[in-house]
Structure formats: structure tokens, C-alpha cells
Amino acid sequence: TFYKDVDWEVEGQIGKQGGGDSGMHHWELNALTSLRWNRFIWDKYVDTSLAAGLGLSYATEEPAFEIEEHGSTNKLLAYILVELAFTPPKYPRWAGVVRIHHRSSAYGTFEDDIEGASNSLGFGIKYRF
């Protein structure tokens, strides 16, 4: 816990892109730190938290989707995460999550000629150990 209702988190991700006919079949590695707000007025019904994080994203190949959409990309880009988690009070170890996965050049920090970003929306189930 960082502050009364805020947690500080560190996260690592390993993912395999398998977009069917999209031409994206690479691995992606992400490392980030985030802050999670844990208190909402409806928590006695559904415990809700909101996280926002920032880090790095490395793709083993330049993602075809990013090249098609923006003309260029880079293997190493900035990574931004926004996540909502919903936990039933009777099952505090389980949560349903909605997450935005965002890769970008961070206004030219990683590549000057990249003029866009890629976003993915994810849905999942999280278990806290």
C-alpha cells in the first residue's frame, strides 16, 4: 500500500500475438509500474479498483498492425495500462478485469516518425495468490 487507498504495483507480462491473418505472430514483453485506487462508494456490492500504469513494451518483431496503421513503428515503445477490476465480496481472490493495452512512441521519445499508437482492449479473470 502506497497511501491509504492506493496500492503501488509492479507487473511483467509475456504475450504471444496470434492474430490469424493479420501477419502478427510475434512475442511481446512488457514491464511497468502502476498505481491502483481501491475505494469506491459501491464496494460493499462489488469491490472495484482502477489502475493506471506506465512502462516499456518490447515486440520481438515490428507489429504489422502498427506499420499498416501508422507507416512505421519500433520494437521498443512506451506502454500504458488502464485497468478496471471488479471483485465479488464473497470471493476476494477473484476479479473480472477490463484492460486497455496501449503502445506508443511517447511523442517521439522512441521513434520520431511514428504518428500514432496501438490500443488493445482486453477482458479477463484475475486470481490473487
Side-chain angles (χ1 to χ4, degrees):
T1 300
F2 174 70
Y3 179 73
K4 186 178 176 184
D5 296 317
V6 180
D7 291 340
W8 176 64
E9 301 174 344
V10 176
E11 182 174 333
Q13 305 167 2
I14 300 172
K16 175 84 166 103
Q17 295 285 349
D21 295 333
S22 71
M24 292 186 19
H25 301 284
H26 63 274
W27 288 90
E28 191 173 314
L29 308 167
N30 303 309
L32 66 140
T33 185
S34 60
L35 293 175
R36 180 176 300 275
W37 178 258
N38 291 304
R39 185 174 298 238
F40 290 89
I41 60 172
W42 55 83
D43 279 348
K44 66 181 177 182
Y45 305 107
V46 177
D47 188 12
T48 305
S49 67
L50 172 66
L54 178 63
L56 297 173
S57 176
Y58 179 80
T60 57
E61 298 174 18
E62 290 184 347
F65 172 80
E66 293 173 1
I67 294 171
E68 289 170 16
E69 290 293 312
H70 308 297
S72 68
T73 190
N74 197 358
K75 289 182 180 179
L76 181 66
L77 291 176
Y79 177 76
I80 296 173
L81 158 97
V82 177
E83 178 187 277
L84 272 170
F86 305 97
T87 302
K90 289 185 179 182
Y91 303 98
R93 293 186 176 266
W94 292 94
V97 296
V98 178
R99 178 178 277 205
I100 296 172
H101 172 103
H102 174 85
R103 278 175 44 97
S104 77
S105 69
Y107 300 102
T109 303
F110 293 89
E111 187 85 25
D112 286 338
D113 63 345
I114 298 174
E115 297 200 11
S118 64
N119 296 301
S120 299
L121 181 60
F123 301 93
I125 297 172
K126 184 184 282 191
Y127 182 79
R128 294 177 183 92
F129 292 94

